[in-house]
């Protein structure tokens, strides 16, 4: 390794040196270099870096040795839905694709706007390539609604993937993603451009082991009248970050960003969102619900940025509610509203606490055992966050319920 | 038989601990219905909570058994499975959990604890329909989350619906009459009376004689300052209604 490469990250850890080596082994590309440099500015982000105080990848990822755990089952897999599979050793797509969907696997790296703000997104982009496409372009045209499923899983050191969606004017995409872990580091960058009146329904299921790090970064840009509905169910990993950065860039665009996280002992789930109301009369609604057990950690960081002129007539609401199911559970929350426009409607709420003792007793008095009572109440508590998943809501609820009745 | 002997209990912790039940003794033989009356703050609801195992109370002495089983040693859900049911003075709202889901979960949990088979969905629905009819409950109400947005009277009727669904062996009714209109009082009393059986016992906590006109008790107890200070027949309730507690309490001391 050349000194220049080694010096990219200051005081690198073993894992960071491995990332540098991995980068060096990929085909040289000016854009790739730019992306890796954007990552290298921070290195693996950790507690010293703004926005990563509670989600320390640097400390968690000591090496890139593949963890020895079986990959989780995929509850969102459905027959008849085109499925793209990303593993550390390759990429697979079906031959027959639904009407309105075009794939273009590119060898060269695409530029990424705002790479410095999303270091692990930049890393995912910089390390994509080799056995997988450097960039997978997905073109969705109007006509019929398009259904697509993506799976990220499998054993190995690194599972890096980058997918760039273009939703043409009036197109409608129902996308489900299962991030099942298996690699020491799974990093994916998924970008969406929603043209005028395009619709995106995105459902993200994340689960990972206590020896894995996962970073799922999404960048969404919406034109006039576009609408996105995102639903996340996250079970965490040693560290897991599900980050969504969304820009309303033309008026009348609408976004719903909901998430539920359930974190057991030794696991951490981080839901981070950043929404910029870059055009007037846009709507953002956000509901995040979490439940955490002893030894688990939940993180919610939400930011709405509403600029002075561009952001007029913004309608935005942000709710985060967490349940500490046991003593020793940790939840960190940082809701931020940066509102510079004056004609806006903005609401936010942030609470965390234990289950209601009176409710628990009422259920137990009727004969429902403590664990089941807790599960029933918690499932009802998080339900609101899963409502937007449409046909997948039941599958998500079933996973949450199973977890609550067994792990909790 | 429900048998309570010399039961004492406190609320609060450490220096703040306050004795609420103070050597209370009471026996309700299987097949009988007893009423408890007593001034506000006497400890009636506390008794119902200590019996059913609510957190926050410490039993400092005495025993409570149902058909010989030590209730105080069991978790609340095990007491319920043993057949103990409380109709709450203040029923609790459970957002997001529909009544039918709740009661079916409870019924099957109790059955499982007793080693019985689960009730089938059609059987459950049939039973629920019949009971809703007896209690003049709108079936739509049973699809709504438990007690959420229910009126005071509706909540009380829903307690009795649950009781009739679960068919407990011993029932404690804590001021089930409060909040009910005149017609609802009669309907609810009919539901309660339908559960009267040689194999069941009942403890009815009330402030008013009127309920006892419908649910005729075998005995009436007066609870004051954490203990039973007087026991009599149904006529004792009439005397209390006429003379108030002052007269009866003065005589007891
Ligand atoms: N958690 C508590 N902390 C402090 N005091 C309590 C607590 N629970 C009950 N008490 C007190 O215990 C006493 C008995 O209360 P309880 O609710 O049992 O009375 P009650 O006989 O049911 O009265 P009512 O007829 O008004 O329903 C009251 O003085 C009440 O304030
Ligand atoms: Mg009371």
């Amino acid at each position: 390794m050349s000194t220049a490469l080694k010096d990219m990250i200051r005081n690198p850890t073993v894992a960071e040196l491995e990332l540098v080596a991995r980068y060096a082994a990929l085909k040289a590309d000016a854009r790739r270099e730019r992306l890796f440099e954007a990552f290298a500015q921070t290195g693996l982000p950790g507690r010293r870096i703004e926005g990563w105080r509670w989600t320390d990848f640097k400390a968690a990822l000591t090496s890139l040795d593949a963890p020895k755990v079986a990959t989780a089952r995929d509850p969102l897999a459905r027959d008849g839905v085109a499925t793209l599979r990303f593993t550390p050793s390759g990429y697979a797509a079906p031959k027959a694709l639904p009407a309105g969907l075009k794939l273009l696997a590119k060898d060269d790296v695409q530029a990424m706007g705002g790479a410095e703000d999303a270091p692990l997104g930049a890393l995912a982009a910089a390390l994509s390539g080799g056995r997988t496409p450097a960039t997978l372009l997905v073109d969705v045209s109007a006509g019929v609604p398009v259904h697509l499923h993506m799976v990220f899983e499998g054993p190995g050191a690194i599972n890096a993937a980058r997918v760039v969606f273009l939703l043409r004017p009036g197109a409608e995409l129902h996308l489900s993603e299962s991030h099942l872990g298996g690699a020491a580091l799974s990093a994916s960058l998924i970008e969406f451009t929603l043209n005028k009146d395009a619709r995106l329904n995105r459902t993200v299921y994340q689960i990972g082991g206590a020896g894995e790090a996962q970073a799922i970064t999404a960048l969404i840009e919406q034109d006039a009248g576009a609408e996105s509905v995102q639903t996340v169910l996250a079970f965490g990993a040693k560290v897991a970050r599900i980050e969504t950065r969304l820009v309303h860039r033309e008026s009348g665009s609408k976004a719903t960003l909901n998430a539920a996280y359930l974190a057991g002992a030794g696991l951490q789930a981080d839901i981070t969102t950043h929404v910029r109301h870059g055009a007037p009369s846009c709507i953002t609604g956000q509901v995040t619900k979490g439940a955490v057990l002893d030894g688990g950690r939940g993180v919610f960081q939400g930011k709405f940025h509403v600029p002075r002129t561009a952001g007029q007539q913004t309608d935005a609401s942000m709710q985060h509610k967490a349940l500490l199911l046991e003593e020793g559970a940790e939840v960190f929350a940082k809701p931020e509203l940066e509102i510079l426009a004056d004609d806006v409607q903005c609401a936010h709420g942030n609470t965390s606490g234990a289950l209601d003792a009176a409710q628990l007793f009422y259920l137990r008095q009727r004969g429902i055992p403590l664990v089941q009572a807790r599960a029933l109440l918690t499932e009802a508590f998080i339900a609101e966050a899963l409502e937007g998943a449409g046909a997948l809501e039941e599958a998500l609820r079933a996973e949450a319920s199973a977890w609550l009745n067994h792990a909790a | 038989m429900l048998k309570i002997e010399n039961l004492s209990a406190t609320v609060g912790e450490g220096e703040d601990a306050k004795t609420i039940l103070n050597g209370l003794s009471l026996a309700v033989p299987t097949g009988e219905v007893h009423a408890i009356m007593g001034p506000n703050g006497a400890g009636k609801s506390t008794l119902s909570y200590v019996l059913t195992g609510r957190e926050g109370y410490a039993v400092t002495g005495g025993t409570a058994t149902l058909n010989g089983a030590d209730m105080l040693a069991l978790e609340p859900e095990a007491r319920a499975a043993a057949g103990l049911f409380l109709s709450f003075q203040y029923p609790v709202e459970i957002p997001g959990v529909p009544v039918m889901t709740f009661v079916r979960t409870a019924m099957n949990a109790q059955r499982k604890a007793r080693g019985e088979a689960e009730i089938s969905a059609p059987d459950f629905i049939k039973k629920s329909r019949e009971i809703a009819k007896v209690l003049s409950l709108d079936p739509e109400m049973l699809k709504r989350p438990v007690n959420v947005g229910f009126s005071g009277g509706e909540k009380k009727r829903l307690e009795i619906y649950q009781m009739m669904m679960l068919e407990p062996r011993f029932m404690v009714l804590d001021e089930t009459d409060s909040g009910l209109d005149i017609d609802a009082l009669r309907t609810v009393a009919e539901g309660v009376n339908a559960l009267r059986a040689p194999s069941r016992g009942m403890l009815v906590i009330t402030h008013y004689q009127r309920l006892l006109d419908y649910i005729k008790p075998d005995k009436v107890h007066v609870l004051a300052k954490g203990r039973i200070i007087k026991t009599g027949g149904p006529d004792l309730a009439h005397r209390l209604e006429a003379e108030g507690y002052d007269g009866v309490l003065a005589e007891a001391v």
Side-chain angles (χ1 to χ4, degrees), chain A residues 55-130:
Chain A
T55 304
D56 195 333
F57 273 76
K58 204 183 196 84
L61 202 62
T62 43
S63 83
L64 294 181
D65 295 334
K68 285 180 188 60
V69 287
T71 316
R73 196 175 43 82
D74 181 3
L76 301 186
R78 278 155 306 151
D79 290 341
V81 174
T83 301
L84 309 180
R85 196 169 297 278
F86 299 84
T87 68
S89 52
Y91 151 77
K95 286 225 168 61
L97 289 172
L101 186 77
K102 268 186 283 182
L103 297 181
L104 187 60
K106 289 182 76 92
D107 246 358
D108 46 338
V109 180
Q110 302 277 301
M112 169 190 172
E116 279 76 12
D117 297 326
L120 293 181
L123 179 69
L127 296 187
S128 292

Side-chain angles (χ1 to χ4, degrees), chain A residues 47-368:
Chain A
R47 60 173 66 94
R48 291 213 179 75
I49 297 190
E50 179 64 26
W52 299 86
R53 231 164 81 208
W54 303 305
T55 304
D56 195 333
F57 273 76
K58 204 183 196 84
L61 202 62
T62 43
S63 83
L64 294 181
D65 295 334
K68 285 180 188 60
V69 287
T71 316
R73 196 175 43 82
D74 181 3
L76 301 186
R78 278 155 306 151
D79 290 341
V81 174
T83 301
L84 309 180
R85 196 169 297 278
F86 299 84
T87 68
S89 52
Y91 151 77
K95 286 225 168 61
L97 289 172
L101 186 77
K102 268 186 283 182
L103 297 181
L104 187 60
K106 289 182 76 92
D107 246 358
D108 46 338
V109 180
Q110 302 277 301
M112 169 190 172
E116 279 76 12
D117 297 326
L120 293 181
L123 179 69
L127 296 187
S128 292
R131 279 179 247 175
T132 59
T135 314
L136 180 68
L137 294 177
V138 186
D139 188 308
V140 186
S141 54
V144 285
V146 172
H147 292 261
L148 183 66
H149 183 50
M150 303 202 294
V151 186
F152 304 81
E153 64 163 347
I158 299 175
N159 192 3
R162 182 182 190 186
V163 188
V164 178
F165 285 90
L166 173 63
L167 277 65
R168 304 268 175 192
E172 181 175 339
L173 174 65
H174 296 258
L175 174 67
S176 51
E177 294 167 31
S178 292
H179 298 261
L180 307 175
L185 171 65
S186 304
S188 52
L189 173 66
I190 301 165
E191 292 155 276
F192 301 89
T193 299
L194 275 61
N195 284 162
K196 190 169 182 300
D197 297 328
R199 301 237 169 305
L200 168 67
N201 188 300
R202 178 180 185 229
T203 299
V204 177
Y205 173 79
Q206 180 278 325
I207 191 162
E212 301 172 15
Q214 285 191 38
I216 303 161
T217 309
L219 309 179
I220 306 175
E221 300 208 329
Q222 301 191 186
D223 292 344
E227 181 174 353
S228 62
V229 176
Q230 176 169 302
T231 307
V232 176
L233 175 61
F235 288 96
K238 188 175 185 186
V239 276
R241 164 93 148 203
I242 294 110
E243 179 163 344
T244 308
R245 304 180 71 85
L246 186 143
V247 181
H248 296 287
R249 60 184 189 191
E250 287 179 14
S251 65
S253 142
K254 210 174 151 186
T256 304
L257 293 174
N258 294 345
Y261 59 84
L262 299 169
L267 300 172
Q268 191 254 34
D270 170 334
I271 306 291
T272 294
T273 60
H274 185 287
V275 179
R276 189 180 140 84
H277 278 255
S281 306
C282 294
I283 302 173
T284 304
Q286 183 169 22
V287 175
T288 305
K289 299 279 184 90
V292 180
L293 297 178
D294 182 14
R297 173 183 284 197
V299 177
F300 170 74
Q301 305 184 101
K303 183 167 181 172
F304 289 166
H305 177 66
V306 183
R308 195 180 307 279
T309 336
Q312 295 297 7
Q313 285 101 45
T314 283
D315 180 347
S317 107
M318 182 193 293
Q319 300 292 332
H320 169 250
K321 290 184 186 169
L323 280 178
L324 307 163
L325 290 177
E326 295 174 333
E327 236 163 89
E330 284 184 320
V331 169
F332 298 97
K334 189 178 176 198
E336 264 186 291
L337 304 180
E338 194 177 283
I339 297 166
L340 305 171
D342 47 18
D343 180 17
V344 298
Q345 284 199 44
C346 239
H348 72 113
N350 177 38
T351 57
S352 55
L355 276 174
D356 186 82
Q359 291 180 347
L360 264 181
F361 176 63
Y362 191 74
L363 268 64
R364 296 177 78 189
Q365 204 305 300
R366 296 303 186 242
I368 303 174

Side-chain angles (χ1 to χ4, degrees), chain B residues 11 18 20 38-47 57 89 175 207:
Chain B
V11 294
K18 187 173 145 198
I20 309 290
N40 293 130
K44 303 183 297 297
S45 293
T46 303
L47 173 63
Y57 301 89
Q89 181 174 1
E175 294 196 27
H207 286 295

